[in-house]
Structures are given as structure tokens and as C-alpha cells.
Amino acid sequence: MQKSTFLDPLFNFFENLHPVPDNLKLDYLLQCSVIEIKKNKFIISPIDQNESLFFIISGCVRGFVKDRSKDITTRFAFEGELIGAIRHPDGIEIHSKEYLQALEDCTLIRIPYSVIELAYNKYPEAHIVGRKIFSLHYYMASERAILARIPMAADRYETFVQSGASQMDRVPLRCLASYLGMRMETLSRIRAAEQVK
């Protein structure tokens, strides 16, 4: 498939993991779409059916859950990454427990789970790409779980910075504080102390 398409960023992402056949790309072209989401708008929320995964062409997205009136940020994703709301592997749940919110104006490729399942059924290469994506996301989830268990706020922030969180200047401080499990005042104090060093 030589012709340039709106899915080239996604196909390049796949190809960096493992070559995929042109027929798989055609199946994706028939069912995927590009969507534009304005800053602060939800990509998906618990009232929406959780039917798609998203590849970020441009912008920054955060995942979060609600605990009473409080938002708890679970993760961030940037250009060239996949993000989807929490979903049971068997597809049992129709709605998500998690919100996905655009922190900037975003351009996303919407990938229905139905096309992913179709690819798994038709193409062995899809299993290789899927396994590598799963491994990457499992690793990132493990890193987030370890970070959340560090008891001291300053140590948690230091570990986060050392992990190479280079794009976090694009994230509002309130979201970063929520992600790190601390109040904004605590995060501001820790950051100010780091700048003095």
C-alpha cells in the first residue's frame, strides 16, 4: 500500500512494532476515522459506550476516575501513543469507569474494537503487534503502580522526574498533583525546593 492515507501515523506505529499486511491496513481504512476534540472536552466518559481505542496524532490526553467529587488522574498520553478507557478484556462492560479528557486541542484516530477483533481473527501479524502493545502498556501500568506506592510525596515526585517525564510541562499542575497523589500546594512546594537545589 503505497498511497498516503489519514491512517499513516497509526500504520507507522504498527510497522515500528512489526510489519503488517496491506489487507489489514485496508480493513482499518474502512472502519477507522479521524476526530477532533477541543481542549477540556471528554473523548469518552462513563455515559458513553466504550467501543473504541484512540491513537493520538496531536495533543495531550488524561485519563481519570471520579471518587465522590474528586478527580483522580490515572495517566497521560501524548502524540504517537494509544489510549483507551479501562475495559474488561472480555468486553463484558459496555460503559467505561474512566474518563478520557483532552488537555489540549486533539486530533485522534478512532479505532473501533470491532476492527481490532477482526484483525486478530484474520491476520497473525495483528497478534504480534497486539502483544507488543499490550507489553508496553503493561510496563507503563506497572511503573504507575510502583510510583503510586512510594509513601513520601517528595520521593514520589523525584521518581516521576527521573522516569523521563519530559512532556509534563504540557499538563496542568492540578492534574499532575492528582496523578502524583498530592495536593497542589505540596507539589508547588516540592518543585520550588527542587529549583533551589
Side-chain angles (χ1 to χ4, degrees):
M1 174 175 278
Q2 300 295 324
K3 193 175 174 183
S4 181
T5 74
F6 69 95
L7 292 184
D8 282 352
L10 177 64
F11 294 155
N12 292 337
F13 176 76
F14 288 167
E15 295 281 348
N16 283 332
L17 299 171
H18 188 80
V20 293
D22 287 347
N23 286 343
L24 180 148
K25 293 177 182 179
L26 286 172
D27 286 339
Y28 270 69
L29 277 166
L30 291 172
Q31 297 192 50
C32 295
S33 57
V34 172
I35 60 172
E36 305 282 337
I37 304 291
K38 291 291 185 191
K39 181 178 179 178
N40 295 324
K41 296 294 182 186
F42 293 136
I43 299 161
I44 193 167
S45 75
I47 63 168
D48 301 311
Q49 290 198 346
N50 189 7
E51 297 176 329
S52 299
L53 192 63
F54 302 91
F55 181 82
I56 304 171
I57 297 173
S58 65
C60 171
V61 175
R62 81 164 174 143
F64 72 96
V65 294
K66 285 191 175 278
D67 180 36
R68 298 186 183 103
S69 61
K70 187 176 173 186
D71 290 0
I72 301 171
T73 300
T74 55
R75 57 197 165 139
F76 302 102
F78 303 91
E79 291 88 358
E81 295 181 356
L82 284 165
I83 191 164
I86 298 166
R87 185 172 186 259
H88 192 281
D90 293 335
I92 294 167
E93 301 161 340
I94 296 171
H95 299 280
S96 162
K97 295 181 176 101
E98 188 177 29
Y99 295 77
L100 296 182
Q101 180 185 33
L103 294 180
E104 301 171 349
D105 289 349
C106 290
T107 303
L108 310 167
I109 296 173
R110 184 183 153 279
I111 311 162
Y113 286 116
S114 59
V115 76
I116 296 170
E117 292 301 323
L118 175 72
Y120 282 150
N121 289 329
K122 288 174 69 174
Y123 308 105
E125 297 88 349
H127 288 276
I128 297 169
V129 170
R131 177 179 50 80
K132 289 184 176 183
I133 291 170
F134 177 79
S135 296
L136 179 62
H137 281 255
Y138 181 80
Y139 173 79
M140 292 188 302
S142 297
E143 290 289 304
R144 291 193 301 268
I146 291 166
L147 182 67
R149 285 166 175 76
I150 297 172
M152 299 291 292
D155 293 342
R156 204 160 47 250
Y157 177 77
E158 183 64 31
T159 301
F160 170 74
V161 169
Q162 288 176 358
S163 72
S166 59
Q167 299 196 62
M168 288 303 158
D169 57 338
R170 296 167 63 185
V171 171
L173 276 184
R174 66 178 173 76
C175 297
L176 184 56
S178 168
Y179 176 73
L180 293 172
M182 60 182 77
R183 294 181 333 198
M184 263 188 61
E185 297 81 8
T186 305
L187 177 58
S188 296
R189 189 172 62 249
I190 291 169
R191 285 164 56 101
E194 287 293 316
Q195 290 173 352
V196 171
K197 288 182 182 178

